Amino acid sequence: MFSRSRFLILAAILFCAGSASAQNARTISVIGHATEKASTAPQRTLQINVTCHEATAALAFARMSDALRSVKQALVTAGAEKKDITEGAVAMSANYDYSKPGVPPTISGYQLSQPLTVQAENDQVLPRLIDAATTAGASSVSLGSAAGEETSDAGLLKSALDDAHERATELAKASGVTLGDVVSVANVEEATGGAISERQREDQEHRQGTPQPKSLELKVVYSVH
């Protein structure tokens, strides 16, 4: 794998070659590299529901506000982070009284339901969160999981471009020039007809027999002045 000094020498050669061939269009050419993040293990999540019944909508909303505050405070005390507690959309339904024969049903009250989703760092904290939510007044608690994080193609592209810009900025500063705009961007694999780059070849030699994460190498050309 190229060391930093070998990278600077190679890039300087490309820079000088560009200067000699086109005085009015000096450029710096660098390779930006990015590798996808390994997917993290799915996080444990609790699906909590808080329900309340009151004779009027005003009382129901006031009661719900108090109940949510109590449940969330209990979760934080039990080990949950405030940023890991997410409120869902509140739902309201009317309760009807059908007890009087021959008389149309009348609204006897209102029911509000508010879901909460809580992410847990590990399985050890889960029992405490479940007990805390139940004790604080949650009407139901269920266990689920959230998918782990992985790098999207767009994220991979941005990382490769950011890496190229960082390298080009360092080279331009060392060369005493000012980095300009991007002139061109090309996928290294596509630009070489499918041949792998030196960096990719070295990575493969060190990772024989192991799954390869998705990676991207871009050849980025910048103008300098």
Side-chain angles (χ1 to χ4, degrees):
M1 185 176 294
F2 282 122
S3 65
R4 176 65 65 177
S5 60
R6 290 178 63 191
F7 161 72
L8 290 174
I9 293 173
L10 175 60
I13 292 173
L14 292 172
F15 166 66
C16 292
S19 299
S21 61
Q23 292 295 327
N24 295 326
R26 297 191 302 170
T27 61
I28 287 178
S29 178
V30 296
I31 302 297
H33 179 82
T35 302
E36 70 175 345
K37 297 177 183 178
S39 297
T40 58
Q43 291 183 308
R44 292 291 191 180
T45 63
L46 287 179
Q47 304 296 331
I48 299 171
N49 200 56
V50 180
T51 304
C52 65
H53 307 263
E54 289 294 343
T56 66
L59 288 174
F61 275 95
R63 173 90 175 274
M64 176 60 72
S65 179
D66 291 340
L68 282 176
R69 188 182 304 110
S70 297
V71 171
K72 288 192 289 186
Q73 182 57 53
L75 290 169
V76 171
T77 301
E81 297 286 342
K82 287 185 178 180
K83 64 181 179 62
D84 294 331
I85 304 174
T86 305
E87 293 185 14
V90 63
M92 185 181 75
S93 60
N95 298 322
Y96 290 90
D97 181 3
Y98 295 90
S99 63
K100 298 177 181 179
V103 177
T106 57
I107 295 177
S108 59
Y110 296 90
Q111 173 179 303
L112 289 183
S113 180
Q114 175 80 60
L116 295 175
T117 300
V118 186
Q119 295 183 357
E121 292 183 356
N122 52 64
D123 288 346
Q124 284 68 39
V125 76
L126 280 174
R128 298 202 303 270
L129 296 180
I130 294 171
D131 289 340
T134 302
T135 302
S139 55
S140 66
V141 180
S142 60
L143 183 62
S145 63
E149 178 186 2
E150 60 182 21
T151 306
S152 65
D153 290 341
L156 204 63
L157 176 61
K158 183 180 185 303
S159 295
L161 289 173
D162 289 344
D163 183 55
H165 187 269
E166 181 180 349
R167 294 171 184 271
T169 300
E170 181 180 344
L171 177 59
K173 183 178 180 180
S175 303
V177 296
T178 301
L179 192 67
D181 297 328
V182 174
V183 175
S184 65
V185 178
N187 187 305
V188 170
E189 184 175 353
E190 294 176 354
T192 56
I196 64 174
S197 68
E198 181 67 21
R199 183 166 183 170
Q200 289 174 319
R201 182 179 296 105
E202 291 177 354
D203 285 344
Q204 288 184 6
E205 290 175 356
H206 287 290
R207 300 178 182 181
Q208 289 294 332
T210 59
Q212 297 295 308
K214 185 188 299 183
S215 63
L216 176 66
E217 284 192 333
L218 298 176
K219 178 180 180 181
V220 186
V221 180
Y222 293 88
S223 64
V224 294
H225 54 83

